[in-house]
Amino acid sequence: MREFSHARGYTGDGRLPAPWHEPLVAGLERPLLLGLLGLAFATHAFRAFQYPAYLTDEGVYMQQAWAVLNLARLSPYTYIYDHAPAGWLLLASWVALLPLKFSQFGLTINSGRAFMVVLHVVNTYLLVRVAQRLTGSTLAGLLAGLLFSLSPLAVYYQRMVLLDNLMVFWVLLSLWLILVSERRVMTLLGSGFAFGMAVLTKENALFLTPVVVFLLYCLTRRSHHFRFAVVGWAFTAVAVISVYALFAALKNELLPTSLEAWLMGHSPQRVSLVDTILWQLGRRQGSALEFGDQSPFWRFSLGSWIPKDWVLLAIGTAATLWNLVVGLRGRANPAERATLIAALLSLAYLVYLGRGSVMLEFYVVPLLPFLALNAGLAFARWVRTLPPTMGRVVLAALLLPLVVVWTVKFNEEGVLKPVDPYDPKIDLTGLQAQQIAFVRQNLPPQATIIGDDDIWVDLHVVRPAFPRFHSHFKASSDPDVSEKLLRQDWRRIDYLVMSNKMTDAMQLNNSDGKEDFIFEALDHSTILAVFEQGDVRFEVRKVNK
Amino acid sequence: MTSSLLALATGPLIVAAVVFSMLLTLQAAYTVYLVLYTWDQPEAYRKARAPDRFRPPELSFAVLLPARHEEAVIQDTIQRAVDIHYPHHRVEIIVVVESGDQGTIARAQERIEVLERTGVRHVRLVTFDDQPINKPHGLNVAFRQTTNQVVTIFDAEDEIHPAILDVVNTTMLDEGVPVVQCGVQLMNYDSNWYSALNVLEYFFWFKSRLHYHARNRMIPLGGNTVFFRREVIEQLGGWDERNLTEDADIGIRISALGLPVRVVYDDRYVTKEETPPTVGQFIRQRTRWSQGFLQTLRKGEWRKLPTLEQRLLAIYTLAFPTAQALLALYVPVSLWMIFSIKMPILAAIVLWLPAYLVAAHFLVSLVGLYEFTSAHGLRPTRLTPLKMLLGYLPYQWLLGYAAIRATLRELRGVNNWEKTAHVGAHRQHAAQPASKA
């Protein structure tokens, strides 16, 4: 058996499948891997600062990273435990390393996007290694990495400063640490730590716990360190996660306010981690079993995900089901068990997406590496059954059209042009830059301005700063802003800086009427400037009192 | 005035506590690593095993049995030594007792006479009447009485595995090592509230931590089931009669000479012992060990160790009981500070970290309980983990108390030998499996 240079010391021991001899990639593993990582960088970095438009959530995480570095707090507003903070703590660490901090790459969110590009390259490397260790196939890893880096769905969301991207990093790191040396307790403790960080970055990583534990169990159950491996992994993960609860407890923000009201006889004016968790758990929308617009799973699948890239979704889902069947049939065999684990990773996250809770369209992000993993595994497995020459032909025949479909398209006039992320004519963040420049040149710095989080850091950090600029979310929800500062009175608002589709977001956030006073301001406002391209529109409005 | 002074002191106090917490956390994490070392390193785990096939007996052994007021168990111990599966002409058993200990002398003499009547003539009684009356002095006296190639020590309460000399004969000849430390294991894990924790300390020390020390060539040896080529003892000039832990001291001196030590902890061949029967006895035993370590530290033989890493490891090891005491005593202090002094949240979280490590230590012990019991064919009751949980912190406080007591005794220059009583509790357990391969 030929041993790959990058898998030295690993000869297959019955727990993991032994490395395959793959004529298609033999001797080319290193250049192919380096080429793939270069491609991963290129697809994600190319015009990452121009497309897509900065999202509200990106602005929120940059804003919170700014608060970490400048205010030593988790948010410039009241931190309401809506997400655990490990994501923006990591983001803040990255920004702290940059000489010009938030202004290193122009507009402030670009600092975060640069980090996402670096992270994607790391994630691709981890995904390749995970697939390789899981199956013994370098080809599987390279194919998974290729799909993960080329899919337009991935390219679109993985450039954005999203907690999901950071969570994917920790999950892949956790999987890799289990697979890289399952014989050592210390790497398994490291894996538990990484998994704990994944949960503290975004809580939905919890849905992957059974699969990761199953993998750990399969690899260690017959080893001398089985008990320490499993208990150590679990302890480390729980210990890391518990720091979040400890933080809340130390701030006296852990227990439900209702409990304190019951015990003390008056309702406290504070947030509560438990209250937020219960609220999150109670938020329901239609599950995937209810086909139609009421289910966010189908709404996003049909409205956003499939239009962006049906290919990865289709082949990834088909491969997941195929791997599930193959894996269940032959789970006693390490190679088949690996396919089962890959399938379960996809399915576990699909359960999360389909279970019917409130979600946003970028929640698909953690599914993408697992779909790519399953497709890579299934594909490499199939190619292996073919003679080498036939294998090369099949690979070329399938991959070349895929690359073409993912990089160019015919526009409405029937002209061939690059797909949106690579189209030099689409400069959506440029509109936001113009909007910021307009505010800077034309609005007084002491004005009270309501806008969106996407430009928050730019208006608060870069001089002249606008300290009374607040997002409509905080202006409507945080009592410190809505009641103490604005007193829910539209007349206290001077300007509105509207992001794309901001009125839709205000509508969604207005189930209890807390945004009403901002709508009133909108009704009393007139347009000062509009910046638009296609159906993307940004405005600056003056409130007439 | 008082409150403003307190407010002034709060800042530096918090900074000091944060720094101390971080140091203690690092120390405790390192300890967890040492405890898990064998399980972490597949190679160490493989090396810990005894050889599967034994060589024919070739080396001659002197089995030294130092005893003091061991009337209750000495006859059994002699019998265990006689029962070792090794040709009698290659073994010499020397019981060494201070001449004033007439009870032990009489019981030992009695058994030797019985054995001689059955043709067993390789057991001898040696007495000494000069000062100091302690184990290292007895060992030096006994050593001078033998010319056999390998010298080993067993304590009066030891339950010796019959194949132990085969293990050492094979290991020494196969690997050419001059010193072999075999496993010693307390067995009576369910005797009282602290016995499981005490048993597990031995388990982790011999099964895991000593392998780390052996690999790094800086090892405090155990007091028994340790085997020396006689030239090693001659070169060192015997055991230090002024040291309360002559075993740790001789280990450091051997390390300073650069001699390799092989550690064999194979669950099948461990020497079985008992936990001290009372808390008082336990504290006295721990005080003696902690003080002995401090004496060894002060003596400074560790300075002769060849590398800085070894010297640092020696300092860490010898000061370990004191560091462990600090951790146990500090946790309540840090919790008190968190709840009674207003401090930044990050500082409060750092002050919690040692508590996490204490929890990790406990969990490792709990897993160790099941490792230990399954290795020895035992089954803990459902109450054992609960007893461990309830006893865990009090046990750490006992260790802390003993470490402080040892430090005070050392500072006051009190260094008499506080002997541990033995009642043979471990001998009520199942008979050892005869597993000569």
Side-chain angles (χ1 to χ4, degrees), chain A residues 110-122:
Chain A
N110 290 347
S111 295
R113 285 202 175 177
F115 185 42
M116 294 302 120
V117 172
V118 172
L119 206 64
H120 174 70
V121 176
V122 176

Side-chain angles (χ1 to χ4, degrees), chain A residues 183-187 189 224-228 231-232 235 238-244 246-247 250-251, chain B residues 32-33 36 38-42 45 204 338 345 348-349 352 356 359-360 363-364 367-368 370-371 374:
Chain A
R183 292 154 174 263
R184 293 204 52 193
V185 176
M186 287 302 140
T187 53
L189 296 187
H224 68 279
H225 65 258
F226 171 64
R227 291 189 183 98
F228 284 112
V231 174
F235 173 78
V238 170
V240 170
I241 295 166
S242 74
V243 173
Y244 189 40
L246 175 64
F247 172 81
L250 289 169
K251 290 191 76 181
Chain B
V32 170
Y33 175 70
L36 292 178
T38 293
W39 287 275
D40 181 52
Q41 302 278 340
Y45 192 83
F204 287 126
I338 290 164
I345 295 293
I349 289 175
W352 265 96
Y356 275 97
L363 213 57
V364 166
V367 175
Y370 291 94
E371 288 284 319
S374 65

